[in-house]
Amino acid sequence: MTDPTAIQPSELDQLPDRDPEETAEWQASLDAVTQAAGPHRAAYLMRRTLERAEGNGLALPKLLETDYVNTIPTAAEPAAAGDEAMETRITAWNRWNAAAMVTRGAKHGVGGHIATFASAAWLYETGFNHFFKGKEGDGSGDQLFIQGHASPGIYARAFLDGRLTEQHLDNFRQESGGSGLPSYPHPRRLPWLWEFPTVSMGLGPLSAIYQARFNRYLTSRGIKDVSQSHVWAFLGDGEMDEPESTAALTLASREGLDNLTFVINCNLQRLDGPVRANFKIVQELEARFRGSGWNVVKSLWGSAWDELFQLDTTGALVRRLREVPDAQVQTYQTRDAAYIRQDFFGSDPALVEMAKLLSDDKIIECFRFSRGGHESRKVYAAYRAAVSHKGAPTVILAQTVKGHTLGEGFASKNANHQMKKLSVDEFKQMRDLLELPISDSQFVDGVVPYGHPGADAPEVRYLQERRAALGGPAPARRTHAVAPLPAPADKTFASFDKGSGSQNLATTMAFVRLVKDLVRDKQTGRRWVPIVPDEARTFGMESLFPSLGIYSPKGQTYEPVDRDQLMYYKEATDGQILNEGITEAGSMADFIAASTAYSTHGETMIPFYIFYSMFGWQRTADQMWQLGDQLGRGFLVGATAGRTTLTGEGLQHADGHSPVIAATNPAALSYDPAFAYEIAAIVKDGLRRMYGEAAPGEDQDVFYYLTVYNEPMPQPAKPAGVDEGIVKGLYRFNTAESAGLNVAAANAPRIQLLGSGTAIHWTLEAQKLLAEEWGVAADVWSATSWTELRRDALEADAALLRGEERVPFVRRALQGAEGPVLAVSDYMRQVPDQIAQWVEQDWSSLGADGFGLSDTRAAARRHFGVDAQSIVVAALAQLARRGEVKASAVKEARERYGL
């Protein structure tokens, strides 16, 4: 009985009902259908009505979930292009060689994955045969983000195509000899083949979205027309649990990225078992993508199911498919027809009658083998729908069987991700299933042979003809013959050499001022790509808004609230700034796309991404490895850096460790500049090395990480002859004498103070206190890069092992410097301690170890023991240990300074 006091649905509608009688008639019709034909029929009619409304452009909420059937019915499938029989033979060879390669490798204990490609083979082969554009045609070709665990299948195809040899396949996961193949897609290890490193799951889908977006950016800005490039991302259904996998779905739909297609291999299994044992991952993903504005195409069932759907006159089959959980579908893969008759068909009288019309062989064919992702015509139809759809990205949910064609010991087994090999008998069963002409005699000493029909075989000619028609081999990475960028005028950098005079200037602002000048350069200015995660005003970059514009595919459809101000918020279709909102992960994905445009599109771009240093390496270090793996170039700028410079922000914002993490990445050149002129010198050298004429032996495929600070400080003039030291990591900024300090005793104790970043200012203050209050002469050194000093020293050590005499730069720089060395930074002590073993003098260090805290800068520095007074006490203690000052001086200093 209805509660008369309950709120009725009509009362929640803010729109007035202009014809209540008509509304009541529609509702009565629905009630009548429900009573006469049942709720399933009523639901069916409602879905079809909503679909018609959506098709007619009516503004109604979209259906988030459709029936568990193919989006494209068999009758609506386009005629498949190409020779299906020929493509089946090609795919069979590739299946075989992928499994053979991993099995042969298992004898050496290197492992590998077989089941993923076995399930996804047709998803790749159909694309390679008919859709994926190569780089030898017009434009840049397509960008392929290959699922990492499917790499054996890609290698197998390259082998059939003649791009790889048996020796390559035999060196799968054995790279040290020089002709090996990396486990997964890796541009740094196999740079002519792989473009995108994808096996750190979740980063592939995120990067694919921002790659598609960056393609639009390049076109809109007139850098290069890449409107014909399509981005394909191949993903696993289990991978979609990674938060990065779905983090940017709404960006893709919001900006209408119809140049992007996700292909999700829904084999219902992740690494240890079912993805959604008690639920349905396909339906969940469909709802998520539809709700995010994507076009969704489901390819679930193969053609063997057509007969079953034709028999389903009551809808009972579709209902049953919708309710069976994924783990049970997986179980059907391994059970006989009797079990399926009882468990699947026995739940509904209508299905019981249907099953009577089906042979056991038909049931086994449908439930064990026939999936939409295993039939080229089904996959072709889905791909054709994806590339034809306009206005939104497309996701294809293709159902497959993990371990398909590998035999009953593999297919759908929970452990198949960890199963690395097939037995000889299993290979022979696979051979017979795939109808491959491989004889028993080819299995020599139990070793499975590779299969190849011959370089002139019809299969190979067909494969090569199809790739030629699509623009050449794929996947493929190209390093285009791009001319070095001309260096900006020296005056741009030299303007920082004279210092800031009486004006205090934060190094964050110094960097922004430098970039403002560089983007005005007539030859290279348009190549800069400023990237910021919604903190431009924090970093003083708002002045770039009106001059460069913020990129938006819609331009500016509103009047900004600050339009009457000089630095108003300006969006434009050709805007240069990528202001990503609050997403460091998205900003890094932007940076990666821009930093590799020299290879992907043959267009050199200079990205700089500026961010809170605490939220860079700590939050997105995995993507920074991805950047290095992908051979990206550009400038990462950790702003508001250091443990103690962010007054009041506290623990979550206080960065005391980003240089530690950065030091672990071989592609990252990490600098902690103290002064504006150092920033200018480092950026100038970075532009030369990455984009200009690199010196012999220098790796261009690097990126720079600079930490800059928000504390306004005096910026001194540049001393003479320090450029080499700035770039290499260390130079003497001054001596006690050149600083004009009066040290009474001619033979006064002397100490070398090494400071980096903002710590240089406390070090200079300590230098003064040591001279004036303790009669100690201190020389101050600027350590622009502890990490580069360490790397140079490691290279010197390696050279010595080769019999070459080489002295580390840090040792040469400090040679002859009197007294001990005390190193100070606003980071953990292990940052400066990186170079301790190569310093011949007595070594000690100070740093901001532990957690951050909220307080004033002075109080925070006193807390961590890195302020000027703490430096003085540490210096006196070091000298006292050497007998150069009295031990009582240390105690006196502690008391005087209240430590």
Side-chain angles (χ1 to χ4, degrees), residues 826-842:
D826 202 19
Y827 296 94
M828 304 168 66
R829 288 179 59 183
Q830 67 192 81
V831 176
D833 284 348
Q834 292 180 87
I835 65 169
Q837 73 186 79
W838 293 279
V839 174
E840 293 181 320
Q841 295 85 347
D842 290 344

Side-chain angles (χ1 to χ4, degrees), residues 873-897:
V873 173
L876 292 173
Q878 206 170 356
L879 290 167
R881 286 193 296 272
R882 294 163 56 94
E884 296 180 21
V885 301
K886 295 179 180 179
S888 59
V890 182
K891 180 175 183 294
E892 182 184 347
R894 281 201 302 266
E895 293 172 351
R896 181 183 301 183
Y897 300 136

Side-chain angles (χ1 to χ4, degrees), residues 819-881:
V821 169
L822 174 61
V824 187
S825 87
D826 202 19
Y827 296 94
M828 304 168 66
R829 288 179 59 183
Q830 67 192 81
V831 176
D833 284 348
Q834 292 180 87
I835 65 169
Q837 73 186 79
W838 293 279
V839 174
E840 293 181 320
Q841 295 85 347
D842 290 344
W843 173 272
S844 185
S845 64
L846 296 175
D849 289 73
F851 289 110
L853 77 165
S854 299
D855 215 313
T856 64
R857 291 183 178 121
R861 286 162 188 165
R862 175 57 60 89
H863 169 82
F864 287 110
V866 293
D867 60 344
Q869 292 77 13
S870 298
I871 295 172
V872 169
V873 173
L876 292 173
Q878 206 170 356
L879 290 167
R881 286 193 296 272

Side-chain angles (χ1 to χ4, degrees), residues 43-247:
Y44 175 85
L45 291 175
M46 287 298 298
R47 285 198 298 273
R48 294 297 174 264
T49 301
L50 287 171
E51 288 170 357
R52 173 59 64 86
E54 181 181 335
N56 290 338
L58 298 183
L60 290 173
K62 292 185 177 181
L63 286 170
L64 294 185
E65 187 180 317
T66 60
D67 286 326
Y68 202 69
V69 296
N70 294 348
T71 301
I72 304 170
T74 300
E77 290 173 4
D83 184 333
E84 187 172 349
M86 181 68 73
E87 291 173 17
T88 298
R89 293 203 297 276
I90 291 171
T91 304
W93 284 116
N94 293 338
R95 287 182 181 278
W96 176 272
N97 287 322
M101 174 175 57
V102 175
T103 297
R104 287 166 70 126
K107 292 182 178 296
H108 303 288
V110 296
H113 300 286
I114 303 178
T116 295
F117 179 73
S119 66
W122 276 114
L123 302 181
Y124 292 106
E125 293 297 327
T126 303
F128 284 128
N129 288 329
H130 302 291
F131 291 94
F132 303 157
K133 294 185 287 293
K135 295 180 177 297
E136 296 174 1
D138 295 333
S140 300
D142 288 353
Q143 288 82 58
L144 308 179
F145 289 77
I146 304 293
Q147 189 179 4
H149 293 135
S151 63
I154 309 304
Y155 291 141
R157 193 173 215 274
F159 170 65
L160 194 66
D161 192 13
R163 301 169 75 197
L164 293 175
T165 66
E166 285 195 15
Q167 183 183 10
H168 285 112
L169 300 193
D170 262 348
N171 286 323
F172 174 60
R173 292 194 168 195
Q174 300 172 77
E175 299 179 76
S176 60
S179 61
L181 300 177
S183 309
Y184 305 119
H186 206 304
R188 190 168 286 274
R189 300 305 310 163
L190 200 61
W192 60 269
L193 181 72
W194 297 119
E195 276 196 287
F196 307 107
T198 54
V199 83
S200 188
M201 288 188 285
L203 299 190
L206 180 67
S207 290
I209 290 174
Y210 281 90
Q211 182 67 56
R213 197 282 200 89
F214 188 74
N215 290 358
R216 291 282 174 84
Y217 171 90
L218 283 180
T219 301
S220 297
R221 289 196 54 217
I223 302 291
K224 182 178 182 180
D225 184 358
V226 293
S227 56
Q228 298 308 305
S229 289
H230 200 89
V231 178
W232 300 82
F234 289 84
L235 318 167
D237 45 2
E239 181 178 5
M240 300 311 294
D241 282 346
E242 293 283 6
E244 295 90 351
S245 295
T246 55

